[in-house]
Amino acid sequence: MKKVAGLVTGAGGFLGLEHCKSILDLSYVLIMVDNNSLKLESNYNYLKKFYKDKVVLKYKCDITK
């Protein structure tokens, strides 16, 4: 079976978090990207608490560079 992934830029923000939830609700692999490591880590930890069995990857980077 193929794995489908969703990429969310700005995943540390409020709207980014909501998009992440939607992707995980669809049972997709989630790739979170943000340039703010504190907010990214906070949202990552929140998601892992409620979506324990889902694959969530996080990367701190600035997509404008």
Side-chain angles (χ1 to χ4, degrees), residues 8 10 13-20:
V8 177
F14 175 75
L15 289 177
L17 178 62
E18 296 303 312
H19 293 303
C20 290

Side-chain angles (χ1 to χ4, degrees), residues 51-64:
Y51 297 92
K52 293 179 176 85
D53 60 332
K54 307 294 183 183
V55 178
V56 181
L57 307 171
K58 63 179 168 69
Y59 297 98
K60 182 207 178 287
C61 72
D62 185 350
I63 64 167
T64 63

Side-chain angles (χ1 to χ4, degrees), residues 26-63:
L26 294 170
S27 295
Y28 291 0
V29 171
L30 172 63
I31 304 166
M32 302 174 70
V33 177
D34 203 297
N35 63 351
N36 185 321
S37 58
L38 293 176
K39 289 183 177 181
L40 179 64
E41 188 70 27
S42 175
N43 282 354
Y44 172 82
N45 291 333
Y46 174 84
L47 292 170
K48 288 304 285 182
K49 186 187 307 182
F50 293 102
Y51 297 92
K52 293 179 176 85
D53 60 332
K54 307 294 183 183
V55 178
V56 181
L57 307 171
K58 63 179 168 69
Y59 297 98
K60 182 207 178 287
C61 72
D62 185 350
I63 64 167

